[in-house]
Amino acid sequence: MNRAYYTSTISEFRESSPDAILGVMTRHHEFDLVELQRNAWIDQTTILRRALAPFEGSIYLEFAVPRMGKRIDALVIIGSVVFVIEFKIKKKV
């Protein structure tokens, strides 16, 4: 069972086109894909590609947390460090 919509090394993630990443994520999304979600994924991909440029490791987008029924926007592993990243993009307060 694949726990993430998108799984890759950071270097492969940086080299992949944003449209290819979005396509993989969309294929694994089980619900209607609304424009707000699609745009959030595009923004997240742009931000992460820039932020992770100097690093090597692994990235998992929309990672399902076992037994919680929740998804993490991004799980990044660099060396022995695990980063859990949640985005709040264009959220109106």
Side-chain angles (χ1 to χ4, degrees), residues 4-89:
Y5 286 8
Y6 178 88
T7 302
S8 177
T9 64
I10 293 173
S11 59
E12 290 171 348
F13 173 71
R14 286 191 316 259
E15 293 169 7
S16 295
S17 74
D19 287 340
I21 295 167
L22 180 63
V24 171
M25 293 179 70
T26 300
R27 189 171 0 130
H28 290 95
H29 191 60
E30 301 170 351
F31 309 101
D32 289 337
L33 183 58
V34 296
E35 183 178 4
L36 187 63
Q37 180 64 68
R38 185 201 66 203
N39 291 342
W41 284 345
I42 291 168
D43 290 346
Q44 290 170 21
T45 300
T46 301
I47 291 166
L48 287 168
R49 286 166 50 109
R50 194 172 345 147
L52 297 174
F55 300 103
E56 293 299 326
S58 300
I59 184 166
Y60 305 86
L61 300 177
E62 294 297 325
F63 181 84
V65 179
R67 294 200 259 169
M68 286 189 65
K70 306 269 183 189
R71 287 194 322 263
I72 297 169
D73 291 336
L75 182 76
V76 177
I77 302 173
I78 300 172
S80 61
V81 181
V82 177
F83 296 92
V84 174
I85 303 169
E86 282 293 315
F87 286 90
K88 300 299 178 216
I89 296 177

